[in-house]
Amino acid sequence: MNWTLSLCAVFALSVLNVAPAQTQLRGHGGPVRGLAVSPDGKSALSGSFDTAAIRWSLATETAQQVLRFHSDAVNAVAFLRDGRMVTAGADARIAVWTAGRQQPDRIFEGHHGPIVALAVSPDGARLASASWDHTVRLWSLAGGAPRVLEGHTQNVNGVAFAPEGKSLVSVGYDRKLRVWPLAGGAPATITLPSPLNAVAIAPDGEIATGGADGRLRFVTRESKEAGEVQAGSTPVTALAISPDGTLIAAAEIGGTVAVVNRKARIVARTLVGSGSPVWSVAFLPDNTTLLTGSADGIIRRWNARTGDPIGSSLKGTAADPLAAYAGDRGAEVFRACVACHTLSEKEVQRAGPTLAGLYGRRIASLPDYHFSDALKRMNIIWTPETVSKLFEIGPNAYTPGTKMPEQRIGSPEDRKALTDFLARATAK
């Protein structure tokens, strides 16, 4: 399935209990594909199509660290019980991080296709990964070769450990839900009516899985079907269950999140953000606060029990970095770029490279930033003329292989205002 093409789908929904989003964390330059919350509820971790992961402080509402290692989209993230972080991506690699360190502590390799989901075992000793190479892999965090679970015939899209830690559940585009006994032996397999994109398990062991038909289906811990809910009219992309097991958040490509009362099997309310696809969801330990990650690169915070957005306007930095340039036309043109790029090395780095000292610098030459091999092979020097050309014909045409979101500036006057502004604002 081509997920990047499906990002373009936008649907208008008319539903009851709709709440518009007001609050947000900005910092990514592409769809937020993965979300996780630390065990203490103080931090969040996000992974994006822009190849970066960001560790956020939920108390100060700021980006604390940008993790750069993957050469492709970061599709899945997780926190370990000891506070370390895990990221996995379309480059088929898994990285384990300690907060504050610029490089991973450990790298796991073995998959032959994009990794799209992660799960941490209840005892914190193992990691499970789901991949489009049709396999699930079990990794010991103490080291050693992974255990490979084979049987799916198409992309494996979701994986989750049972709460007692004795089994693992995987779901895939082949419509199969498999319950793998971790002690060994053949998995129990259920075939459901729709391709399956996500799975989550409640504290009592009940399994919930979301399909391409917009339905949420339930399976008992004994692998028996136990009902369903129509979460929406578009494919379910991600699931999260509140720690107390009462609520399920089902994200959709159509841009909404259905909050489902699990016991009553009803949609209690529907959250609507910007209308762009929602790719990730995560509950905080309070059983009420929900984070959602969208294709517009924004993370929103909600009260899942009321449907209300909560918090202040979260920008990822303490103040508007362009406040000093009020009234500057070039700064206003640049505002579309500020979510990914800083103008100064003193600012907290975002998903894209800093633009400090931009002019005169060769493309893909900034130290300590992971650029694609395609960009490294180019011989572009950034000048007002080359920056203008970048936005005249678009990043995909001028710098093939870039992860920069496609955008053009049609007005020559606006391009000139932007390049003049960058000359002033990025000079060291």
Side-chain angles (χ1 to χ4, degrees), residues 310-352:
I310 56 178
S312 59
S313 180
L314 308 177
K315 305 276 178 134
T317 55
D320 181 357
L322 299 180
Y325 302 98
D328 188 311
R329 177 57 188 163
E332 289 307 308
V333 176
F334 179 75
R335 189 167 290 280
C337 311
V338 78
C340 297
H341 300 283
T342 65
L343 296 166
S344 166
E345 293 174 328
K346 296 178 182 179
E347 295 180 68
V348 176
Q349 204 165 32
R350 303 190 182 116

Side-chain angles (χ1 to χ4, degrees), residues 23-164:
T23 61
Q24 53 207 16
L25 288 164
R26 297 178 182 268
H28 282 298
V32 180
R33 296 284 287 114
L35 275 175
V37 175
S38 62
D40 61 9
K42 295 180 179 179
S43 300
L45 182 64
S46 57
S48 173
F49 191 77
D50 64 11
T51 77
I54 299 178
R55 178 171 59 90
W56 304 89
S57 166
L58 293 176
T60 62
E61 303 177 344
T62 58
Q64 292 186 310
Q65 184 180 6
V66 178
L67 308 177
R68 294 188 179 88
F69 164 75
H70 296 280
S71 58
D72 212 325
V74 179
N75 293 324
V77 295
F79 277 99
L80 300 179
R81 291 174 63 182
D82 60 9
R84 288 183 298 163
M85 300 165 288
V86 185
T87 60
D91 60 2
R93 296 186 293 176
I94 299 169
V96 180
W97 305 78
T98 294
R101 295 183 183 173
Q102 297 302 309
Q103 297 297 324
D105 301 336
R106 178 176 293 172
I107 299 165
F108 293 120
E109 296 181 290
H111 278 296
H112 304 293
I115 300 169
V116 294
L118 291 171
V120 180
S121 64
D123 63 4
R126 288 182 287 187
L127 191 68
S129 54
S131 171
W132 285 1
D133 65 9
H134 304 177
T135 72
V136 173
R137 293 181 188 240
L138 272 172
W139 311 83
S140 169
L141 290 168
R147 177 181 167 188
V148 182
L149 305 180
E150 298 178 294
H152 284 283
T153 58
Q154 294 190 51
N155 297 343
V156 186
N157 293 323
V159 65
F161 281 96
E164 80 285 349

